Amino acid sequence: MTFEPALTAGPALAAVVSNSLWFPLLVGGVTMGEAFGIAAEDRTMSASVHTASVLAIVLISAIGATSVMLRNRQERALADAQLVSEVAQRILLRSIPERIGPVRAAVHYAAAAAHARIGGDLYEVVQTRYGVRAVIGDVRGKGLAAVETAAAILGAFREAAHQEPALDKVAAWLADSLGRALHENGGEHEGSDEEFVTLVLVGVRPDAVVEIVNCGHPAPLLLRKGTPVRFLDPPANVPPLGVLEPEDVEPPILRLTLMEEDRLLLYTDGVIEARNSWGVFYPLAERVPDCASADAPAEVLDRLHEDVRRHVGHQLGDDAAMLLLQYAPVPTPGTALAVRSVVHPRAVHDQTTPQGHAD
């Protein structure tokens, strides 16, 4: 019995544990020296076994070095792809400030594609002269076609939100832009003719009234202290954008007066359609109150995402985006002075000048 053939495991393991191209070759050279040493001591081993062992060591060392080279090349390509993905995400899905006007905002996005940062879900929040406006949507399908469609929708929203005073007209603007985008990309991507986008538009007006337009998307959740979680269902069901002709897109507007600290949770179907091993969907309305106990909107979404992952037990199989808007207006100096004048009129009178004008 001889252990010389077992020496081939050395260069094979060296290619696994190291990213250095020369490490398998170095281990192979040391192993070959050990093989000749064993052959010199063991006079009973046949020449054929020794020759086969040496050839196997040479071959495995060369294969190990080649595999290390290919693995390093793939890791560099993956790193470049992740860098491009991060740059594309910063351009397409821009970071949202913690406060936008009277609204505190936070977003959490997880792409389903492995090693990807962007997918078919979209979101945006902007400050306009009509108030704070936000959108969240989901493009049918995945891959490059979905990213291009999401880019077209976001570009149109960033323009229409500032130009259109009515929120339903913003939806019609997005439908028109989507139609042009699908027509331009129809010859490049298979299935572009059947693409559509579900989305929710939200507008928080300066008078504390929120307007919601829903085009085939899951209804937002209203989180109000002291009351049960409430789905803000649209007054009438409207199909997603891309199903009707742009001129036929006339979605109804749901209006609601906001109270301070009210929260609106917008999300995509990747959250509510996340299923565990028993096939049970994630009960968002039941689980969100526990997660909403946090003060910061970003912390609420972090807790919610972790809760969804615990429910599923593994990485989500679909893109999942969540956007949380909290109505938290900041009192203006004029408002604060008016409040003080009502509560402490004498104190305000003491600060007046002899001419009777306030400082």
Side-chain angles (χ1 to χ4, degrees):
M1 178 180 293
T2 178
F3 293 97
E4 185 177 357
L7 296 176
T8 56
L13 294 176
V16 176
V17 301
S18 176
N19 288 329
S20 174
L21 179 65
W22 299 104
F23 190 64
L25 299 178
L26 176 62
V27 174
V30 174
T31 304
M32 188 171 300
E34 295 177 352
F36 278 102
I38 292 176
E41 293 293 334
D42 189 358
R43 301 294 183 179
T44 63
M45 184 174 56
S46 62
S48 60
V49 173
H50 174 66
T51 302
S53 299
V54 171
L55 292 178
I57 293 173
V58 173
L59 180 61
I60 293 176
S61 300
I63 294 176
T66 304
S67 65
V68 170
M69 180 182 64
L70 295 178
R71 186 173 68 246
N72 291 340
R73 185 180 301 174
Q74 291 175 351
E75 290 178 354
R76 288 193 297 268
L78 179 59
D80 293 340
Q82 289 177 334
L83 177 61
V84 172
S85 177
E86 291 178 0
V87 174
Q89 183 188 32
R90 293 180 181 179
I91 298 174
L92 179 62
L93 302 177
R94 299 181 298 192
S95 60
I96 294 178
E98 183 180 353
R99 173 173 286 277
I100 305 176
V103 174
R104 296 179 64 190
V107 66
H108 192 287
Y109 180 66
H115 310 297
R117 299 295 181 87
I118 54 177
D121 288 357
L122 57 96
Y123 59 84
E124 181 63 290
V125 182
V126 295
Q127 173 73 63
T128 71
R129 58 179 178 270
Y130 309 111
V132 178
R133 288 182 166 179
V135 64
I136 190 168
D138 186 4
V139 180
R140 174 189 175 273
K142 298 181 177 66
L144 181 60
V147 175
E148 291 179 350
T149 303
I153 292 293
L154 286 175
F157 172 77
R158 289 162 182 161
E159 181 68 21
H162 293 275
Q163 300 297 329
E164 288 289 351
L167 203 60
D168 56 343
K169 298 302 181 182
V170 176
W173 188 318
L174 301 186
D176 185 63
S177 299
L178 175 63
R180 292 197 306 269
L182 295 181
H183 178 73
E184 294 172 356
N185 298 333
E188 299 180 8
H189 303 289
E190 184 179 356
S192 296
D193 296 336
E194 301 177 356
E195 279 199 8
F196 58 83
V197 180
T198 67
L199 58 81
V200 170
L201 295 170
V202 175
V204 180
R205 301 188 328 203
D207 57 356
V209 173
V210 61
E211 297 180 334
I212 300 176
V213 170
N214 194 327
C215 297
H217 198 80
L221 283 176
L222 174 63
L223 309 178
R224 175 173 290 175
K225 292 183 178 180
T227 62
V229 176
R230 173 185 169 189
F231 283 97
L232 299 179
D233 296 312
N237 294 327
V238 177
L241 299 185
V243 176
L244 301 178
E245 294 297 328
E247 58 270 15
D248 296 330
V249 176
E250 298 178 352
I253 301 178
L254 174 65
R255 293 181 175 87
L256 178 71
T257 301
L258 290 176
M259 299 175 59
E260 192 169 350
E261 301 302 323
D262 278 355
R263 289 172 171 175
L264 293 176
L265 177 61
L266 315 178
Y267 52 92
T268 59
D269 57 4
V271 177
I272 57 175
E273 293 182 358
R275 291 186 284 186
N276 59 15
S277 57
W278 299 95
V280 179
F281 290 105
Y282 179 73
L284 178 61
E286 299 176 7
R287 307 287 280 271
V288 71
D290 294 336
C291 301
S293 60
D295 294 332
E299 186 177 353
V300 173
L301 295 186
D302 289 340
R303 291 184 180 182
L304 195 56
H305 177 71
E306 290 301 321
D307 193 51
V308 175
R309 290 195 60 180
R310 284 194 298 268
H311 175 80
V312 176
H314 53 76
Q315 185 70 23
L316 300 184
D318 193 7
D319 298 335
M322 294 180 290
L323 176 63
L324 186 63
L325 305 177
Q326 178 176 330
Y327 185 65
V330 178
T332 61
T335 304
L337 180 60
V339 172
R340 288 196 302 268
S341 65
V342 173
V343 179
H344 304 289
R346 183 174 301 176
V348 176
H349 176 73
D350 293 341
Q351 296 176 3
T352 56
T353 62
Q355 290 76 15
H357 297 285
D359 292 336

